[in-house]
Amino acid sequence: MFSKNYGPSTGYGGNRTYSCYSSGDVDSALGFEDFLYTDDTSGTDEDLDLFVLFGNLRGNVVGLRYYTGVVNNNEMVALQREPNNPYDKNAVKVNNVNGDQVGHIKKELAAPLAYIIDNKLARVEGIVPYGAKNAFTMPIQMSFWGKEENKQAVLDRLKMHGFKMAPPLKGSELGFGSNLLSGRAGPSYSAPGHTAVQMTTEQLKSEFDKLFEDLKEDDKTREIQGPEVIGTQLLPHQKQALAWMILRENNKELPPFWEERNNFFYNTLTNFAEKERPENVLGGILADDMGLGKTLTTIALILANFHNGKPLPVEKIRCDQFYKVFGATSVKNEGDLPVKDHNCNLESSTSSGKSETVQAQLSSFYPERTKAKKPKYSERSDSEESEEWLPQETRIETKKDLPTTRKRSKASCNFQEDTGFASALAAPSPALKKKAKQKGTSSIQLAKRDDSEEGPRTTLIICPLSVLSNWIDQLEQHISPDVHLNLYVYYGPDRSKDPELLSRQDIVLTTYNILASDYGSRGDSPLHKLKWLRVVLDEGHTIRNPNALQTKAALNLEAQRRWILTGTPIQNSLKDLWSLLSFLKLKPFADREWWHRTIQRPVTMGDQAGLRYFSEGTVLAHYADVLGVLLRLRQLCCHPHLCTNTSSFSGTGVNNTPEELREKLVNKMKLVLSSGSDEECAVCLDSLTFPVITHCAHVFCKPCICEVIQSEQPNAKCPLCRNELRLEHLVECPLEESDFESVKKSDQEWIPSSKINALMHALIQLRKENPAVKCLIVSQFTTFLSLIETPLRESGFVFTRLDGSMPQKKRVEAIQCFQSSQAGSPTIMLLSLKAGGVGLNLTAASRVFLMDPAWNPAAEDQCFDRCHRLGQKQAVVITKFVVKNSVEENMLSIQNKKRKLAAGAFATKKPTASEVKQTKINEIKTLIDL
DNA sequence: ACCGCCGGGTGCC
DNA sequence: ACCGCCGGGTGCC
């Protein structure tokens, strides 16, 4: 979700999206020392989604004068047990959003609270309704959340100590205090129970949308040239992304959900305020569906924006024979190389012999590439990444030129020694060598590195092992050969644990597994000892799971600027967003409790509430039925005969068991799908590819639903109905029934339909004007295409046909036939909407007749693109047949909505399950004119 | 006076 | 805390 999508001007059928997320604010509260064994209390995996509100209770916070933490009226506070308090083992601390202690819960109340909290009977949340200026005590409104089955125990325990909880106010207690609507921490007028402001998904989304740079495809003013040291010309969208990234890194605006009011800085979610300006996040989320250039754009960013938009000061080296280092720079070894220090920042990870050094570094460099090329290794998933190293011979064998490379490396070491410059060694790519030769000067000139800027200079890049070599390759490819960039590949058993060494690099490259294993191995992780200029998480969705070690390891990195690069930003839900926003240090979301209170619960609760008048039960449970009926309506718009073979739909068996019912639904879905109807997948919102039907009778693309199952295991739920989802229950189903060459000899006599009449009228008219003009006739229903064949023959048209059920050979024939300009070649092609890939070239056609509308405008666009593409010399005219006052008109209005969504800023690329659900419901409502 | 009352000292857990 | 509580000073009216 929350991704922005600006495709090419054709709009929806885009082949490239580049999405940008950003967010603000740095929370540097976490000290260095804390990072290792911080017991993340929120890490325990309670199913917070199942929690219900038990009720509210007013209490008192005491001891205010002993603590520095302050609160506003109406501000959220956190309750924290303090079992080791020497005065009372039941002590319960009260902290403000910043984590500063405000006071304690009065001991009489602390006693039952301690029991409730310690036994996890409920999660207790607080809001200070008023008394912000009190000197000694202040009231606190507490709410108790937990699993239904624990409610009584909580009530009993409170009662035992003489407290009685007020029952929740009906419907108004959803994530109280999250004032996205009122949006501010004003004076409190709150009655007991507190004003609850419900946040809908829409409101939330619009708040988050503010974070996203609104890059417009045609806005060339936003472009920025890549730094000159980038040897590759950036594409327009990369220039835009680069400009946006630089803007984000130098941005001075308040982070989202923060406002300045009366010289204070207010957080509108929690009502927390502070005098100090919250630090902004310098960075964001860069999402790119296609993997087209995140890496290059990021490399450009590293070189272009070191400080205040000024480029990274790098050395320029010019010589006739040099070797550039990637992955391995080597150093002046303590004392044993006569190195001129001002310009030689080459580092060595060992102080032993130089050639050994090089070799060790190379070994942390080459196996990756060979692995990537050898299926045996590339198939290994990251989780299987191991510290074990292949025997060296194996490695060498897999890369033909490695032995030479090694030799060269050694030679370059000698070269270093000879000249006194440890400026270059290791393996140049052939391309690089070529470039170097072209430069062809024999002198070595080193531009002085400007180290006058304070603070860190190093960018840490973390990526999955499988793309490590890609980074190295791209750095090698895109950076001008005369630029010396210090890169250290922090990988392999010999990786240096010296933070000093790392801090002298321009780029340190490592993998999530190394990051995690270093983090887990008691404090010798140099990655976590340093403060980085910039940390980049490539394929950043790998930190989606908040409990994963690599997520914790990533969250505990110190950096001034933070970036998440991802191809699949948010899979299923808001939950996935937490780690990402937390990594960006978007206050107050670093703490999962605050995230849950301010965003997740209000949104999910709000959604439930949103379904009260048009319930899930009435639509989604009968989703397949509704689709079946709609399909028949759509077919009727085309031709009455299309409905004849769907008679099994109407079987209204009464005494069905749930299992029979389910089977019926699945069968219906099968029929709907095999009719050729263009249905869409609720995960990707695109036309179905490899459709599969779930046990609960919902349809998704196989890859989409498999990913859901994968990422949510072991308890994956259907994105549409939250029913249990199991791989083995998925029913595959062919896209189109193969009615090819098994043309159904319908018993009925052929009859025309309005659409057929209109089509024939147009075709005959066209032929009169220009007998050579070629037309595509497109429908989702292959049976409809078959019905059209009859009048075509009668009127003497030569036509060919292409649908999904045809074997590849026949397809090629059909296309060649149609594309031919010879006299007597077919002038008409009957085309099934989804037949053929994007690459299908039908430029011979200059007219397209679309017989029936599809759900997804992109599917239609794609179809038009098949003739309206490079090589097309004529104007293309598209005619759509739509039956007035029918379901088809409503489908058009849905298409328009989708087009707007896709064209506008931040179309919801990956919506949450609930959004999908709501969209579906709305669509169905539109279709049946509700 | 093994009380009441007064008023100062004092104050989370 | 413009409270409560504690404990010392004090003691008819």
Side-chain angles (χ1 to χ4, degrees):
Chain A
M1 57 181 300
F2 308 136
S3 85
K4 190 239 167 188
N5 168 348
Y6 60 97
S9 40
T10 44
Y12 209 91
N15 47 21
R16 172 182 302 142
T17 57
Y18 223 121
S19 315
C20 307
Y21 303 58
S22 72
S23 58
D25 181 77
V26 168
D27 171 10
S28 52
L30 193 64
F32 231 33
E33 288 71 20
D34 305 325
F35 82 79
L36 265 179
Y37 304 104
T38 41
D39 186 26
D40 186 358
T41 48
S42 56
T44 51
D45 216 16
E46 304 164 89
D47 204 344
L48 299 175
D49 295 346
L50 298 177
F51 282 16
V52 295
L53 178 64
F54 295 161
N56 303 299
L57 185 66
R58 178 65 69 81
N60 284 299
V61 186
V62 297
L64 302 185
R65 60 171 158 157
Y66 300 99
Y67 307 99
T68 54
V70 291
V71 290
N72 283 300
N73 290 339
N74 258 347
E75 184 173 327
M76 292 183 174
V77 288
L79 276 68
Q80 186 191 9
R81 276 284 284 128
E82 195 183 17
N84 296 324
N85 186 303
Y87 302 95
D88 182 1
K89 61 178 169 43
N90 292 324
V92 177
K93 292 206 286 184
V94 176
N95 301 335
N96 70 11
V97 183
N98 238 11
D100 300 323
Q101 184 170 359
V102 178
H104 277 107
I105 294 289
K106 207 165 154 54
K107 62 179 182 296
E108 292 80 4
L109 180 58
L113 283 192
Y115 179 87
I116 288 165
I117 296 170
D118 292 347
N119 291 291
K120 295 193 174 9
L121 296 176
R123 184 175 268 254
V124 189
E125 297 177 354
I127 284 189
V128 171
Y130 58 87
K133 298 220 160 64
N134 290 7
F136 306 101
T137 69
M138 56 171 56
I140 178 173
Q141 188 68 28
M142 287 165 293
S143 52
F144 294 71
W145 297 82
K147 289 187 193 151
E148 187 63 50
E149 66 253 38
N150 292 327
K151 183 173 179 176
Q152 200 52 48
V154 171
L155 288 170
D156 291 347
R157 178 59 54 161
L158 287 171
K159 198 177 176 185
M160 199 188 292
H161 291 258
F163 297 100
K164 191 166 186 301
M165 192 158 65
L169 295 181
K170 209 178 176 188
S172 64
E173 208 56 51
L174 307 163
F176 53 61
S178 58
N179 289 329
L180 274 185
L181 271 181
S182 63
R184 42 218 44 142
S188 168
Y189 311 105
S190 67
H194 198 80
T195 17
V197 182
Q198 189 176 314
M199 178 166 47
T200 68
T201 312
E202 270 313 299
Q203 288 156 1
L204 176 79
K205 191 171 128 30
S206 80
E207 283 297 317
F208 272 111
D209 275 355
K210 291 174 191 161
L211 305 174
F212 307 155
E213 180 66 4
D214 188 7
L215 292 177
K216 288 277 189 316
E217 173 79 358
D218 51 353
D219 186 2
K220 302 290 184 220
T221 58
R222 287 282 181 78
E223 289 184 9
I224 193 169
Q225 291 301 322
E228 69 173 288
V229 292
I230 292 282
T232 312
Q233 181 70 23
L234 299 184
L235 297 171
H237 72 282
Q238 291 166 341
K239 290 180 188 173
Q240 287 170 31
L242 176 62
W244 176 74
M245 290 177 95
I246 290 174
L247 199 74
R248 289 297 316 165
E249 289 201 344
N250 298 314
N251 114 68
K252 302 256 181 335
E253 301 197 347
L254 275 176
F257 305 110
W258 288 85
E259 300 178 351
E260 191 173 359
R261 327 188 87 235
N262 313 320
N263 297 321
F264 272 87
F265 296 95
Y266 274 84
N267 183 289
T268 55
L269 291 176
T270 58
N271 293 326
F272 174 76
E274 59 189 339
K275 197 87 186 159
E276 256 176 71
R277 191 186 176 88
E279 263 185 89
N280 227 338
V281 159
L282 307 177
I285 303 178
L286 186 69
D288 167 4
D289 277 358
M290 302 300 201
L292 291 174
K294 275 176 306 201
T295 310
L296 175 56
T297 309
T298 305
I299 293 170
L301 175 74
I302 291 168
L303 286 152
N305 188 38
F306 174 54
H307 191 74
N308 282 335
K310 281 182 288 177
L312 181 74
V314 285
E315 295 170 33
K316 292 244 177 182
I317 311 164
R318 284 160 55 212
C319 65
D320 59 343
Q321 183 196 11
F322 76 91
Y323 301 98
K324 197 166 147 68
V325 181
F326 285 108
T329 45
S330 125
V331 192
K332 56 183 183 178
N333 292 328
E334 323 298 309
D336 75 27
L337 265 179
V339 173
K340 292 184 183 163
D341 62 18
H342 69 282
N343 45 28
C344 296
N345 8 25
L346 298 167
E347 311 287 347
S348 153
S349 51
T350 68
S351 57
S352 53
K354 273 134 285 172
S355 53
E356 262 182 54
T357 300
V358 171
Q359 209 175 311
Q361 288 161 344
L362 284 174
S363 71
S364 69
F365 174 24
Y366 276 100
E368 302 318 322
R369 313 178 133 193
T370 56
K371 274 182 193 176
K373 279 173 191 162
K374 245 193 148 181
K376 182 180 166 192
Y377 303 116
S378 59
E379 276 166 16
R380 291 165 51 166
S381 76
D382 286 340
S383 57
E384 291 169 319
E385 179 181 341
S386 112
E387 287 300 305
E388 282 174 35
W389 288 86
L390 299 164
Q392 202 163 8
E393 284 72 21
T394 318
R395 278 184 263 139
I396 292 166
E397 274 168 19
T398 56
K399 169 100 185 172
K400 256 209 276 181
D401 60 355
L402 190 58
T404 353
T405 301
R406 284 169 67 214
K407 216 157 133 200
R408 248 191 232 124
S409 307
K410 282 185 193 175
S412 71
C413 269
N414 296 335
F415 163 72
Q416 283 172 43
E417 271 189 302
D418 292 343
T419 59
F421 285 102
S423 58
L425 68 145
S429 70
L432 204 65
K433 281 187 294 183
K434 202 171 153 197
K435 278 191 222 164
K437 282 214 172 120
Q438 280 163 2
K439 296 269 171 181
T441 135
S442 62
S443 64
I444 297 172
Q445 291 182 5
L446 299 178
K448 243 192 181 169
R449 195 184 273 276
D450 178 9
D451 283 329
S452 59
E453 297 293 355
E454 285 179 27
R457 68 172 288 132
T458 317
T459 296
L460 173 67
I461 300 171
I462 298 155
C463 63
L465 176 60
S466 55
V467 296
L468 191 72
S469 61
N470 178 53
W471 274 96
I472 298 170
D473 287 347
Q474 295 223 18
L475 283 163
E476 196 168 318
Q477 247 177 53
H478 296 302
I479 298 175
S480 307
D482 60 348
V483 175
H484 183 95
L485 195 76
N486 286 332
L487 167 72
Y488 187 87
V489 180
Y490 185 78
Y491 190 82
D494 297 328
R495 62 184 186 275
S496 167
K497 299 275 180 174
D498 176 13
E500 283 293 306
L501 187 153
L502 298 183
S503 73
R504 284 192 292 264
Q505 309 297 320
D506 297 306
I507 299 176
V508 170
L509 189 55
T510 192
T511 70
Y512 285 100
N513 285 287
I514 291 285
L515 174 79
S517 87
D518 269 25
Y519 178 70
S521 65
R522 1 221 109 216
D524 74 334
S525 170
L527 303 179
H528 292 90
K529 283 180 189 143
L530 279 174
K531 174 141 186 164
W532 304 91
L533 171 68
R534 188 188 282 112
V535 174
V536 178
L537 303 186
D538 190 20
E539 303 304 330
H541 52 276
T542 47
I543 63 159
R544 230 165 23 198
N545 177 0
N547 300 317
L549 186 59
Q550 62 188 24
T551 304
K552 291 178 187 175
L555 295 184
N556 277 310
L557 289 167
E558 292 243 359
Q560 294 174 352
R561 313 172 190 180
R562 300 159 170 275
W563 288 102
I564 293 170
L565 316 181
T566 175
T568 49
I570 311 302
Q571 273 300 310
N572 284 306
S573 68
L574 275 176
K575 276 188 202 162
D576 297 339
L577 206 54
W578 175 76
S579 321
L580 304 194
L581 294 182
S582 180
F583 173 75
L584 296 182
K585 303 291 172 193
L586 184 63
K587 214 164 159 179
F589 304 143
D591 185 325
R592 241 185 338 151
E593 175 183 342
W594 296 117
W595 161 256
H596 193 259
R597 281 179 70 172
T598 55
I599 304 284
Q600 194 170 316
R601 187 172 56 216
V603 169
T604 47
M605 292 267 188
D607 271 358
Q608 279 167 29
L611 289 166
R612 252 184 233 122
Y613 60 100
F614 199 87
S615 85
E616 261 183 279
T618 52
V619 173
L620 279 170
H622 303 116
Y623 183 59
D625 281 301
V626 175
L627 277 187
V629 172
L630 287 174
L631 175 68
R632 282 209 284 165
L633 291 175
R634 286 158 60 198
Q635 289 175 325
L636 276 172
C637 287
C638 294
H639 196 282
H641 284 185
L642 297 187
C643 284
T644 51
N645 66 340
T646 58
S647 55
S648 61
F649 271 40
S650 47
T652 45
V654 187
N655 300 318
N656 284 319
T657 65
E659 194 51 29
E660 284 166 352
L661 209 62
R662 187 193 66 76
E663 219 166 281
K664 266 202 156 147
L665 287 178
V666 171
N667 284 333
K668 267 183 208 178
M669 283 319 299
K670 261 182 160 169
L671 269 169
V672 170
L673 290 170
S674 61
S675 73
S677 165
D678 173 58
E679 304 301 328
E680 29 175 73
C681 164
V683 175
C684 65
L685 288 193
D686 231 314
S687 297
L688 287 164
T689 45
F690 302 112
V692 286
I693 305 171
T694 62
H695 196 251
C696 47
H698 293 112
V699 192
F700 305 95
C701 302
K702 194 173 181 183
C704 290
I705 202 65
C706 284
E707 188 155 357
V708 169
I709 294 174
Q710 190 70 33
S711 67
E712 286 188 11
Q713 60 182 337
N715 295 313
K717 295 193 178 87
C718 171
L720 279 172
C721 66
R722 311 308 291 166
N723 267 312
E724 194 193 15
L725 208 55
R726 305 208 9 210
L727 206 58
E728 59 271 27
H729 287 163
L730 297 181
V731 178
E732 296 201 27
C733 106
L735 259 183
E736 281 175 69
E737 217 167 42
S738 40
D739 62 358
F740 175 69
E741 284 187 327
S742 64
V743 186
K744 281 155 236 148
K745 298 279 187 289
S746 177
D747 298 338
Q748 290 149 296
E749 218 175 299
W750 190 88
I751 52 163
S753 74
S754 320
K755 275 191 184 180
I756 290 184
N757 289 340
L759 171 71
M760 290 314 296
H761 184 77
L763 287 175
I764 289 165
Q765 189 64 33
L766 259 178
R767 185 165 59 178
K768 268 187 207 159
E769 288 162 14
N770 176 5
V773 72
K774 298 210 179 200
C775 309
L776 295 180
I777 298 173
V778 184
S779 170
Q780 298 170 69
F781 308 109
T782 48
T783 39
F784 190 36
L785 294 177
S786 303
L787 283 165
I788 294 171
E789 289 184 13
T790 307
L792 284 181
R793 277 196 200 93
E794 279 172 5
S795 302
F797 284 98
V798 182
F799 61 89
T800 178
R801 176 173 169 143
L802 190 73
D803 70 49
S805 62
M806 287 165 71
Q808 188 55 35
K809 209 178 157 193
K810 297 254 177 196
R811 289 190 198 208
V812 174
E813 275 172 33
I815 295 164
Q816 280 173 351
C817 222
F818 182 69
Q819 286 287 87
S820 158
S821 53
Q822 279 176 11
S825 64
T827 57
I828 290 172
M829 173 178 272
L830 295 169
L831 181 67
S832 129
L833 182 79
K834 286 185 293 178
V838 237
L840 194 56
N841 190 337
L842 298 171
T843 47
S846 59
R847 298 287 305 232
V848 178
F849 292 94
L850 191 76
M851 302 310 294
D852 39 88
W855 294 107
N856 187 348
E860 291 182 9
D861 292 342
Q862 217 173 58
C863 194
F864 304 148
D865 287 346
R866 285 165 191 167
C867 65
H868 187 245
R869 59 189 294 168
L870 227 62
Q872 177 59 268
K873 297 193 176 66
Q874 313 157 73
V876 175
V877 180
I878 295 160
T879 309
K880 281 194 194 187
F881 290 101
V882 176
V883 174
K884 207 174 180 179
N885 296 325
S886 80
V887 65
E888 289 190 343
E889 278 195 334
N890 294 335
M891 284 180 73
L892 287 190
S893 72
I894 289 178
Q895 283 192 356
N896 280 334
K897 270 187 208 159
K898 287 189 179 177
R899 280 213 168 84
K900 270 185 206 152
L901 204 69
F906 297 97
T908 321
K909 189 84 182 84
K910 295 269 183 193
T912 61
S914 50
E915 283 171 328
V916 169
K917 214 151 62 178
Q918 194 55 53
T919 307
K920 281 275 162 206
I921 289 170
N922 289 339
E923 280 179 12
I924 290 166
K925 282 167 72 179
T926 304
L927 283 170
I928 54 182
D929 280 331
L930 248 177

